[in-house]
Amino acid sequence: GIVYDSAMNTIYVTSGNSNNVFVISGSTNQVIANISVGYIPSGIAYDSGTNTLYIANGNSSNVSVISGSTNKVIANITVGPNPEGIVYDSANNNIYVTNSGSGSAAVIGYGIVSVISGSTNKVIANISVGYVPFGIAYDSANNTIYVTSVVTYIGFGIVSVISGSTNKVIANVTVGLHPEGIAYDSDNNTIYVANYYSNNVSVISGSTNKVIANIRVGSDPVGIAYDSAMNTIYVANELPNSVSVISGSTNKVITNITVEIYPESIAYDSATNTLYVAYGNSNSVSVISGSTNEIITNIKVASSKTMEPYPIGIVYDSAMNTIYVTSGNSNNVFVIS
């Protein structure tokens, strides 16, 4: 997991094998601190209002709270089993955590989203959602949280819609098989969900909480990002090695960009209208123009290819116009100008 702290111009990276969070200075690109947290830290969220970091520790069943001012753990909050996805709700100063190990039966109501108060660092609610909740997104316009999960062992998917005001599920929206990536389009008040085994993207209206379109993309879509400048959605498809470009106005695929093998994660630079795509198998990052939807260049971040697909995190630092890429097999963070 990786996140950018704009207040301190600092990057935080979770390291699952060392049970640390590495703190990188955005000014010097040097590691300035190693913070010990729980076992297998993965998801990470940043609260800019209080300059606080929240770390989901997958094998500790807790969330570590880090002060961005001191880079010290100030609290450890017990949540459900295997916390992974985490998001901060600025409207009510709450943190929402998906517990992927909390599903004990293949029916709605056995997965749990823990709600943490940012004021007290205590769990104030546990919300029942689908089996094995994973992806999570926050809609600031409606103060709503969207959580992807499955409802049977074969992977029929739902998106649970949670009111940030009441911390209750107000709708369960049926989508495709194994929904994973999720993104929110603030211009159209629309949610886009990448369904891994259905090879499509479900489009949900934020006004009605209903699916208004299912868009066929490539095989095994996983990463998804929204481009506000062009009102465009980009979807990383693992197996055909492509990025599908969807118009937010028509909800149709306008082009498919051939990329390298196993695109995993994607980041958007609004200043230059550029996309950065990181790969699990080729140790490179593609730079795509948001204006032409063409690859401008491919940047190698390691000298040899990884033998197995491995997810790589990527994030954009607007202050320094810099991209940070986590590399699981080399234990590095690569910094791209």
Side-chain angles (χ1 to χ4, degrees):
I2 185 166
V3 73
Y4 171 61
D5 170 355
S6 56
M8 305 295 289
N9 188 23
T10 306
I11 299 87
Y12 293 83
V13 183
T14 60
S15 174
N17 284 348
S18 65
N19 304 323
N20 283 333
V21 173
F22 293 99
V23 186
I24 299 171
S25 165
S27 302
T28 65
N29 290 326
Q30 302 287 322
V31 174
I32 55 176
N34 292 310
I35 307 169
S36 294
V37 289
Y39 291 110
I40 318 295
S42 55
I44 185 168
Y46 171 60
D47 169 2
S48 58
T50 61
N51 190 21
T52 306
L53 285 295
Y54 297 87
I55 315 296
N57 300 306
N59 278 21
S60 292
S61 300
N62 67 10
V63 170
S64 294
V65 185
I66 296 172
S67 165
S69 302
T70 64
N71 286 327
K72 295 184 182 299
V73 173
I74 55 176
N76 285 297
I77 306 164
T78 300
V79 291
N82 301 120
E84 289 194 19
I86 188 167
V87 72
Y88 172 66
D89 174 353
S90 55
N92 57 20
N93 190 27
N94 285 345
I95 300 89
Y96 294 81
V97 184
T98 60
N99 302 296
S100 66
S102 60
S104 58
V107 293
I108 295 175
Y110 283 85
I112 297 296
V113 174
S114 297
V115 186
I116 298 170
S117 165
S119 303
T120 65
N121 286 328
K122 295 184 183 299
V123 173
I124 56 174
N126 285 299
I127 306 168
S128 295
V129 292
Y131 178 70
V132 192
F134 183 69
I136 188 165
Y138 170 60
D139 167 2
S140 57
N142 295 324
N143 189 22
T144 305
I145 299 89
Y146 298 88
V147 179
T148 62
S149 60
V150 297
V151 291
T152 67
Y153 287 112
I154 60 174
F156 289 107
I158 63 168
V159 173
S160 295
V161 185
I162 299 171
S163 165
S165 303
T166 64
N167 287 327
K168 295 185 183 298
V169 174
I170 55 177
N172 284 300
V173 185
T174 301
V175 289
L177 295 176
H178 276 277
E180 294 202 7
I182 185 167
Y184 172 63
D185 168 358
S186 55
D187 287 345
N188 297 321
N189 189 21
T190 306
I191 300 89
Y192 294 84
V193 181
N195 301 303
Y196 190 79
Y197 286 137
S198 292
N199 303 328
N200 66 8
V201 171
S202 295
V203 186
I204 300 172
S205 165
S207 302
T208 64
N209 289 324
K210 295 184 183 298
V211 173
I212 55 176
N214 285 297
I215 306 167
R216 185 79 176 181
V217 290
S219 296
D220 300 347
V222 53
I224 190 165
Y226 172 62
D227 168 359
S228 56
M230 304 294 290
N231 189 21
T232 305
I233 299 87
Y234 295 85
V235 183
N237 306 301
E238 278 190 344
L239 288 183
N241 310 329
S242 69
V243 172
S244 296
V245 185
I246 299 171
S247 165
S249 301
T250 64
N251 285 326
K252 295 183 183 300
V253 174
I254 53 179
T255 191
N256 286 292
I257 307 168
T258 300
V259 292
E260 296 193 30
I261 190 168
Y262 279 104
E264 291 280 352
S265 50
I266 189 165
Y268 173 61
D269 167 3
S270 58
T272 61
N273 189 21
T274 306
L275 280 294
Y276 296 87
V277 181
Y279 304 98
N281 238 24
S282 64
N283 283 338
S284 66
V285 173
S286 287
V287 185
I288 298 173
S289 165
S291 301
T292 65
N293 290 322
E294 294 179 352
I295 293 177
I296 303 169
T297 189
N298 286 300
I299 305 167
K300 281 289 181 185
V301 294
S303 58
S304 62
K305 288 190 175 182
T306 306
M307 296 307 295
E308 297 178 1
Y310 200 97
I312 300 175
I314 187 167
V315 72
Y316 172 64
D317 169 357
S318 56
M320 304 296 291
N321 189 25
T322 305
I323 301 90
Y324 296 85
V325 184
T326 60
S327 172
N329 282 359
S330 67
N331 302 325
N332 287 325
V333 173
F334 297 99
V335 186
I336 299 171
S337 169

